[in-house]
Amino acid sequence: MRIKAFLLPTALALALSGVPAAALASPAGGPAADTVDLDVLFVSAHPDDEAGSLATLGQWKENHRAKAGVVTITRGEGGGNAVGLEEGPPLGIIREREERTAIGKAGVENLYNLDRVDFWYTASAPLSEQIWGHDDTLAQIVRVIRQTRPEIIMTMNPSPTPGNHGNHQQAARFAAEAFQAAADPAAFPEQISKEKLKPFRAAKFLRSGGTGTSAAGPQCATSFVPTVPTDQVFGVWEGTRSSTGKTWAEIEVDARREYVTQGWAGTAAAPTDPANMRCDFYTLIDSRVPYDPADTSPEAILRGSVLPNAAGGLPKGTELYLTTDRFDLAPGETVEVTAHVRAPRDRALAAPRIDLRLPQGWTAKGAGTLNSAVPAGKERTRKFTVTVPANSDTNQQQLIGATLTTRQGVGRTDRAVRVVADVRGTLEPLEEVGVFRQWAGEGGYPQLDTLIKPVLTVGSGQSRSVRIDLRNHGKAAQSGTVTLGLPAGFTADATTKSYADLAPDATGAVTFTVTADASLPTANEGGTGGDYGITITTTSAAGSTVETGALEIVPTTEVPQAGHDHAVDGVASPGEYPGAELDLSRIWEGQATTPQDASAKGRIAWTADALKVYVQVTDDVLGTKVVPQDCKRQRRTDSVEIIVDPKGNSADTSTVFKAGIFPITDDPANGNPPCWQRDADNRQGPGATTAPGMTVVSKVTSPYTGYTIEASIPFAVLPDAVDPARMGFNVLVYDSDTQDLSSQSRLGWSTFTGVRADPYRYGLATLPGYTPAQQQPSTPVFPDTSARSVHSPQTIAQSAVDGVAPAAVAKLPEKALRLTDQRRVAGGVLVTLRADRAGTAYLYAWDGTNALGDKTVELTAGRPVTVVVPVASGRSKALLAAFESNGSALASQLPLS
């Protein structure tokens, strides 16, 4: 194994130099005395996911001594590499180093990698969960929370909004579940009974970002207006200056530039005008402690947990929160509201009284005065019955609030509920949206449903069924109508349809057939950002309500059989492609282009055994030419991506074919030929291996004005037999005008934000006259090798200091491994190992910053082994060791005299 230079944040590197001589893991009893105690924990999927929050974390550390850590589920080894040929685990180790250096600029020293595989870019949270494993990954995050005891847990957006990485979604869902599970003794009880950890009740849970509008500048936090009025959004301005004299916006840019493998070295400088500096925004998802939504200070999120409440507030550590017996309420109905009060561990709450704050016209029954003081560390509850007025407006979220008054101070909290009509009609969800809604509802976060705009796609000039899902929230059976309001250019088989005898709490549906006129603009050129708004008016005896949604039109084409003289030669000969020309020049992400800067057109045809695709690209500047060994991750430079969804019904790209084609490579000995590979699909990998029989010819103009690509894709290499009546298809063009392996513009045929991972937004093709051969669907093949913490000296160095085992697995007891007689010898570092159980030791000679050599040793119980860790050059200051056995691990460090 070739050792790289592994850099640690300065403070951690200094701490390592003073570790005591006994290189033993911390005792397993209780939370270990030497386990780090965090204030904030950010849960993410990849290195760099936390980058947009570093200005916040840095301010909190410098101004309030709030210690933050980051959980990164993968090391990002499935991402691109703009500066080298490393991929897979070696790239993951490099990206970990980048992340440690980047977060170190914000004073963050604790990074926890969970060793899950970064398989490829996907928009699917369910696929991410499947590959990572739900219970094991959640257990790791819960273990980190129970060990490090952070008061604040932060994460990303858990919803399948367009362009949101599926790994990000799933990481956020894990964080939400871990916030609850870490406090529950019944969750992962072996961590309590065997590992001697204790349940931990984090105070607040937030996601990064806020849905709404705000002005830039020092008043960005106070000027934020949420789209959903019940959202509690807090802002932290990046324009504050640090002790270094730089603004935190500048420091965050400096941190971003550390992610050189991701092409971020050239990140634009931060604004210098304070009026142009933005806020980092965070939306409160859950809180066990009181909070003040009117507090717009940078430390507002920290109050009540990391910091004391403002003057007159409740004692730090007091819990106050509300629960309700349901989220959706019909007018005239009641909801049971429970107020929970928990006193701090070190003091009782005297003379407690709870007063509800209700929307206008709402009423409540129940006594808010608690009969006696709440003892230290104990919880008391009060129940209220709240009635929604019969004339309440529907399709709105409302806040039920509570104020706790005690002799020690006053605090407040809120809980969102939604007022819905007796019968609510909503647009059928996409598969991924349906999964998210179920997760949010069952997990106690139903208010997150507002993050998703209901959308369906329809082919240009085609028809589709549009189902309206009904639910009776009332107490009586209902009959009524559903009216679908469509924009100009859309028609339906009926304007209104009826439903009958829908029982209380029952569900039903009515289905329309909707047709999109072929003259309407398609993809993101249509409607508003691609969305044609619709309305759904549902009536019942109790009244009516209006919900909204959108239809998106994807382009369509008829694919003819190729002409008789077809060939794969990089030329579209007359009659070879009889079908319509495809416009591939629309932007779906990145910078706008002119026709001369970047534009493209294409054609498609079929033969008896293959799809033929021809793409002609006009381009003014040729981006980086990759070497043949770097034929992967086509989006980094000038390239074409051809996508085929055989049945036109894939939920994610694991059942799709995607070929990334570079028109030219840096391979002069062989004439700089094109290269291709499959990417983020049913079988990712080199083209010759994963798409046997596929042929590609490229012609690059000289002087350079663009290129043409012609490809023949055998039907046999597709993941399934093509449906001639509905084949999903797309062509994407990546344009780079730089030499840093980063593209600036992304064009294509069916163009929406994040479209490369959203099969439902691909264009649709029919193949008249084509009869598919019999073919069984191909089982997806996923990358399954991730970088491991025991192979990372930087992880081991941290673990030896902060007490969390490598990869956040169960920690072995200190007696599991003893290291003795360590000393520098000619050629390396000598050490004797003795384990009390069978396992594997991973040893690294360490100079305080870099690993100088390594050795892996298999150990049997009770048998000492003396080895030399080879060192070719440099002077070792310490020996790092990781030991793993039966799924558990520990990390140690021995100083060398």
Side-chain angles (χ1 to χ4, degrees), residues 113-133:
N113 293 107
L114 305 189
D115 292 4
R116 298 298 165 183
V117 66
D118 181 27
F119 50 101
W120 30 253
Y121 178 80
T122 179
S124 174
L127 185 63
S128 304
E129 178 185 346
Q130 171 192 328
I131 292 175
W132 289 343

Side-chain angles (χ1 to χ4, degrees), residues 201 288-290 304 314-321 340-350 352 370 372-381 404 406 408:
R201 299 172 65 83
R288 294 186 173 105
V289 300
L314 292 165
K316 178 182 172 182
T318 300
E319 290 191 12
L320 171 65
Y321 61 96
H340 302 256
V341 178
R342 184 185 292 263
R345 288 177 296 174
D346 59 351
R347 70 182 72 181
L349 295 175
L370 281 72
S372 60
V374 181
K378 300 298 182 181
E379 179 178 308
R380 295 286 186 269
T381 61
L404 172 62
T406 71
Q408 292 95 334

Side-chain angles (χ1 to χ4, degrees), residues 265-282:
T267 298
T272 56
D273 184 350
N276 296 326
M277 296 180 187
R278 66 179 183 89
C279 270
D280 297 340
F281 287 106
Y282 303 93

Side-chain angles (χ1 to χ4, degrees), residues 116 126 128-141 170 173-174 177-178 181 188 439:
R116 298 298 165 183
S128 304
E129 178 185 346
Q130 171 192 328
I131 292 175
W132 289 343
H134 178 275
D135 291 358
D136 288 346
T137 306
L138 179 59
Q140 289 171 286
I141 300 173
Q170 188 56 44
R173 296 181 201 184
F174 279 139
E177 294 175 40
F188 306 107
W439 170 85

Side-chain angles (χ1 to χ4, degrees), residues 222 232 234 291-297 412:
T222 58
Q232 309 283 8
F234 299 90
Y291 59 91
D292 181 1
D295 186 354
T296 58
S297 67
R412 57 175 289 167

